[in-house]
Structures are given as structure tokens and as C-alpha cells.
Amino acid sequence: MSQPVKIKNALVSVYYKDNLEPLIRQLNGFGVTFYSTGGTEKFIRDLGCDVVPVEDLTGYPSILGGRVKTLHPKVFGGILSRRNLAEDKAQAEQYEIPEIDLVIVDLYPFEETVKSRASEEDIIEKIDIGGISLIRAAAKNFSDVVIIASKNDYGSLHTILEESAGSTSLEQRRDFAKKAFNVSSHYDTAIFNYFNQDEELSVFKQSEQKSSVLRYGENPHQKGTFYGDLDAMFTKLNGKELSYNNLVDVDAAVALIDEFDEPTFAILKHTNACGVASRPVLLEAWKDALACDPVSAFGGVLICNQEVDAETASEINKLFFEVLIAPSYSADAVEILTAKKNRIILQRQHVQLPSKQFKTLLNGVVEQDKDSNMEGPELMSPVTERKPTEQELTDLHFANKLVKHTKSNTIVLAKNKVLLASGVGQTSRVDALKQAIEKANSFGFDLKGCVMASDAFFPFPDCVEIAADAGIAMVLQPGGSIKDQLSVDKANEKGIGMVMTGVRHFKH
């Protein structure tokens, strides 16, 4: 079983014919007999190579509008016959079945058809039957058969055959089989997920074909891999490869900036914002975001939602940072920002992001809908005697966007669409508020007249009292505690306002 296998007969039937020609010409030079169907048969013949139509082998034409072409014992017998078994060889000779040593097959573009929003009829027709069967059969019999299930492997096979005079080793065939089963399993997962959009079957299936090996995981002693197509989402203009921690921060940054329409800059460390500001001009947004916490900004991940010009780039260039993300950059900005070779400069492309999130948990996987809710002023219900002003409603909306994307328990303080401070990841909401107040005071921010947002309800009125004593004028919380009225009463007693949204934004 371990001896090299010389290719004598090949079945070739592909949807995509890109870069197929050199391989066909090479196989023809080795004297390989081709069996093929439809458009691929014509392609091979047009290259001046002899080809046997599959119909001539099987004695049956392509039927049912092309749905049945290769599903025949003379095809599958030639692929699945075990060359070392006398019984198989005898049956193959009895029924005049040629041994097929190479199968080159790809699959109808099911995922591409779904993405194109085609009709269900068109989508169903792109569910490949013959192709997937040929791939599985050839991969199963890798002891004797080479399977090429992707155009990405044409070049690899060409190199192998060139180096070994038209033969392949068992190890090489096994490797191609592994790749083929990856293709078939991914294809079946895509089909299942299409049919299970209503999630009636509570089954978890995900498949990503592209991957990037990371320098390491969260820490140097951990291995890390990103599964997905980063190149589709970002054009890297400068810098080293993104690390595991970079990716986690970039994910948090993208989720946060997508909440904003007006020019906004955000600075994040360990997935939490340490500086955010919205301004009519991006340069001012950058300056005000940096002023929130210039200490934590060092080594951070920066993101904005407008083109970075040269003036803004010059200001950003004064800070040491890990990653900068923007939808575009002026040519002068690129020249400024790429002067330091290790800093990562990413230009974001428009990519539809998943609506679900999942991660491993205990001995399984947990999945949930993304938190896509955002409660603006129209969904803020005043519950106190003091009602919010228009400016306070604007600031509450701003703070609510931030609190949604900050680690719980969290409190966010904001004023004039600028983050003043936040209390992050505390085991007590009181501690989160005290942390935010202390931090704001340490940078000299005046909290008088600012607003406060909480990711969850107040079980006791202590946070309201502390906030009022610090000068905070208006509070946003989801409500939902059986003791909500105590917090409302305390706000009225202290002369500050409160709105409730009815929506909690925990982030763990």
C-alpha cells in the first residue's frame, strides 16, 4: 500500500477551470487517459488532448438536466476498487471498469449563490450531488487514488508529478484526502446552516476555510490561531502581524465604533474604552479622546470612523500605540503613520459581520445573538421629578453606547459627548462608580453637570447618592430591580434626574 502510484486514468469534472490548463497538459504528456463531462470535456478537447466522455464509459447520457452524470458503478467502481484485493480486480475486469487513479472535481458554488440572494430554486440546484460523492469516494480510497477537490491544489499536484515522473506517494495522497474531506465537510455545513436558519434543530455547526497561525495566544506559552479571512476585512498598510490580544482588542474596537455616525475616535486597552469623543472634526475628536486618559492610551488600540488626514496623523504620531484602524487615510497620513515599522495600520473594508457570537464553555460551546440593541433618547423613560435636557439626553445616549461595550460591572461618566471616566469590571457597582469618580478627579475633570450610565439596575440607592454628591446631574439605568423606587426616591431627594431604558447591557 505504501508504494508510489503512477497515474494512468483521470476523471476531471470541474466548475472552475482557472489554472487547470498546465495540469491537464502535464498529465497528457505523461500519457494519462482523461474521462470527463460537459464543459470540462470541451475544455480538455480544446487543449488538443484526447478525452473519453463519461457517457461512453457508462453507456448512459447525462440525464435530468445534468443532475445525474457520473453516478454509475463504472465510475465509482473505478475509483473505489482496491488494487491489492484480487476480488476487486476480478470484478473490475468482469465489468470492464477502468481503474481511476486521479479525480479532479470541485463543487457547485453553493455559498456564493446564497450570498447573491438568488432564488431558493437556484440555491437548491447548486447543491452538488455527483461532485461530493466523487470527492468522498476518491478520498476514502486514498491508498490508490489521488483526489484534488480544490483549484488551490492544482499547483501542488503539478509540482509533485513533475518531481516524481507522474507518480504520488501514500503520504501525499493521504494529505490530499485530508484536504478533500475538509472541502466536503465545509460544503455540507454551509448547506445545513442554510436549511437551519430558523434554528429548529438546536445543532452547532461552524466551518472556516481560512486560518492564520498567530505568534502565540493570550500569553507566550499558549498557541493561537485565527480562523477567518482577515484580508477581506482589513488592508494592512504597515506593521507586524496581529497578535491574539490585538485581535481581541480590534474586535472590541470595531463593535464600539460601529455605534457612532458622527466623527468619533476611540482608544481601547484590554477591550475597554479609555478614551472616546465625538466631534464635528476628526482631529478634535482625537484630541478630546486622548485627553480622557493619556496614561492608559499608551500602547492602545485606536479606531475612528472617518478618513485620517495628515494633520490628524501628525497628532496621533506623537503617541506610542499598537494598532490604528480607519476606513481610509490620505496619502500624506500614510507616509506619516508608516514611519515606524512595527505599528499596525489597518484600513477597514466593508464586510458583513456575524449576528451570532460563540465560544467554548466547559465541555461544549455556548452561542448567543449579538447585543444589537441601543436605546436612544426616544427609549429613555424619565422616572424622576427632574427631567433631562436635550444636551443631557444626547450625553446619555453617548454614555449608553460606551457602557454597552465595557466590561461589567461598569459605570460610565460622560459630558458633551466625551468619556470622562469609567469604572470597569468591578464585582460591585458601587466600586465601579467610585473608581470612575476617582479616575475623573485624578485627570482634573469637572463632574458637575455630567451624566452617568450603568450597564444594569441599582439594587440599592447608594450609587445614586454617591453620584449626586459627586455633582453628577443625570443617571441612566435599565431598571428592573424590585427596589427601583428606592433609587428614584433618592434621586428626587438629591435633586438629580434619572431615566430607565428597560434594557440591560451586561458584558462578561
Side-chain angles (χ1 to χ4, degrees), residues 31-265:
V32 172
T33 298
F34 294 109
Y35 296 89
S36 191
T37 62
T40 310
E41 177 193 337
K42 182 179 183 302
F43 177 84
I44 296 172
R45 201 178 302 283
D46 288 348
L47 293 177
C49 304
D50 292 335
V51 56
V52 179
V54 167
E55 292 94 326
D56 291 355
L57 173 64
T58 64
Y60 279 86
S62 173
I63 62 173
L64 306 181
R67 282 188 166 196
V68 180
K69 290 181 283 191
T70 57
L71 296 168
H72 192 279
K74 281 204 170 183
V75 174
F76 282 86
I79 296 170
L80 287 166
S81 65
R82 292 157 290 190
R83 278 51 161 178
N84 63 326
L85 285 185
E87 299 93 324
D88 284 12
K89 291 187 82 65
Q91 285 188 329
E93 290 174 5
Q94 178 184 355
Y95 296 108
E96 299 180 337
I97 299 173
E99 292 179 348
I100 296 174
D101 316 296
L102 168 63
V103 176
I104 303 176
V105 176
D106 61 11
L107 299 171
Y108 292 156
F110 178 82
E111 289 179 280
E112 292 84 346
T113 306
V114 172
K115 289 177 182 176
S116 73
R117 302 183 182 277
S119 67
E120 178 153 279
E121 181 180 0
D122 289 339
I123 291 170
I124 298 304
E125 283 306 310
K126 289 299 185 291
I127 297 177
D128 207 312
I129 303 301
I132 202 82
S133 302
L134 291 167
I135 288 172
R136 290 179 66 83
K140 176 178 180 176
N141 203 25
F142 68 88
S143 292
D144 300 300
V145 180
V146 180
I147 173 62
I148 300 297
S150 168
K151 61 183 180 181
N152 296 329
D153 290 326
Y154 294 166
S156 299
L157 180 60
H158 190 283
T159 300
I160 289 170
L161 297 180
E162 189 173 31
E163 293 174 350
S164 56
S167 299
T168 60
S169 69
L170 178 63
E171 182 182 2
Q172 290 163 344
R173 294 191 297 276
R174 185 184 182 91
D175 186 58
F176 283 127
K178 176 177 65 177
K179 293 179 179 180
F181 282 124
N182 176 45
V183 169
S184 66
S185 65
H186 177 81
Y187 195 76
D188 285 338
T189 296
I191 294 170
F192 169 78
N193 286 335
Y194 170 76
F195 278 95
N196 197 44
Q197 292 178 66
D198 55 9
E199 299 181 358
E200 286 186 10
L201 283 177
S202 187
V203 176
F204 179 81
K205 290 183 185 290
Q206 291 289 332
S207 178
E208 288 289 347
Q209 289 290 74
K210 293 193 174 183
S211 65
S212 304
V213 177
L214 307 176
R215 297 196 301 274
Y216 51 80
E218 200 162 10
N219 298 291
H221 61 275
Q222 296 170 269
K223 292 182 179 179
T225 306
F226 175 81
Y227 295 96
D229 189 359
L230 276 178
D231 292 337
M233 185 156 185
F234 300 110
T235 299
K236 190 176 74 170
L237 305 180
N238 191 66
K240 55 190 178 182
E241 296 302 317
L242 287 162
S243 69
Y244 179 98
N245 292 330
N246 288 155
L247 287 167
V248 174
D249 284 336
V250 167
D251 178 70
V254 166
L256 173 59
I257 204 68
D258 282 352
E259 299 284 358
F260 296 91
D261 295 321
E262 61 187 311
T264 300
F265 232 114

Side-chain angles (χ1 to χ4, degrees), residues 182-378:
N182 176 45
V183 169
S184 66
S185 65
H186 177 81
Y187 195 76
D188 285 338
T189 296
I191 294 170
F192 169 78
N193 286 335
Y194 170 76
F195 278 95
N196 197 44
Q197 292 178 66
D198 55 9
E199 299 181 358
E200 286 186 10
L201 283 177
S202 187
V203 176
F204 179 81
K205 290 183 185 290
Q206 291 289 332
S207 178
E208 288 289 347
Q209 289 290 74
K210 293 193 174 183
S211 65
S212 304
V213 177
L214 307 176
R215 297 196 301 274
Y216 51 80
E218 200 162 10
N219 298 291
H221 61 275
Q222 296 170 269
K223 292 182 179 179
T225 306
F226 175 81
Y227 295 96
D229 189 359
L230 276 178
D231 292 337
M233 185 156 185
F234 300 110
T235 299
K236 190 176 74 170
L237 305 180
N238 191 66
K240 55 190 178 182
E241 296 302 317
L242 287 162
S243 69
Y244 179 98
N245 292 330
N246 288 155
L247 287 167
V248 174
D249 284 336
V250 167
D251 178 70
V254 166
L256 173 59
I257 204 68
D258 282 352
E259 299 284 358
F260 296 91
D261 295 321
E262 61 187 311
T264 300
F265 232 114
I267 306 169
L268 289 86
K269 287 289 285 287
H270 298 289
T271 75
N272 296 301
C274 58
V276 185
S278 294
R279 290 288 179 264
V281 178
L282 190 65
L283 176 60
E284 297 307 313
W286 163 251
K287 289 179 178 179
D288 289 343
L290 180 61
C292 297
D293 184 351
V295 176
S296 295
F298 183 86
V301 170
L302 322 178
I303 190 166
C304 63
N305 57 3
Q306 301 284 315
E307 178 171 285
V308 175
D309 59 20
E311 190 177 6
T312 306
S314 295
E315 289 298 317
I316 296 170
N317 199 44
K318 298 174 182 177
L319 177 74
F320 170 77
F321 62 87
E322 285 275 333
V323 184
L324 171 61
I325 309 158
S328 60
Y329 302 83
S330 71
D332 289 340
V334 171
E335 185 176 354
I336 294 166
L337 294 167
T338 57
K340 297 179 181 178
K341 66 177 183 178
N342 283 333
R343 61 165 53 149
I344 301 168
I345 310 298
L346 301 177
Q347 183 166 312
R348 185 179 172 188
Q349 312 298 328
H350 177 70
V351 172
Q352 185 173 356
L353 297 175
S355 59
K356 299 276 190 181
Q357 297 172 309
F358 61 88
K359 63 179 178 180
T360 58
L361 205 64
L362 300 175
N363 62 339
V365 174
V366 63
E367 182 183 59
Q368 67 170 357
D369 296 333
K370 275 189 176 177
D371 184 358
S372 59
N373 282 27
M374 178 39 55
E375 306 73 46
E378 71 282 358

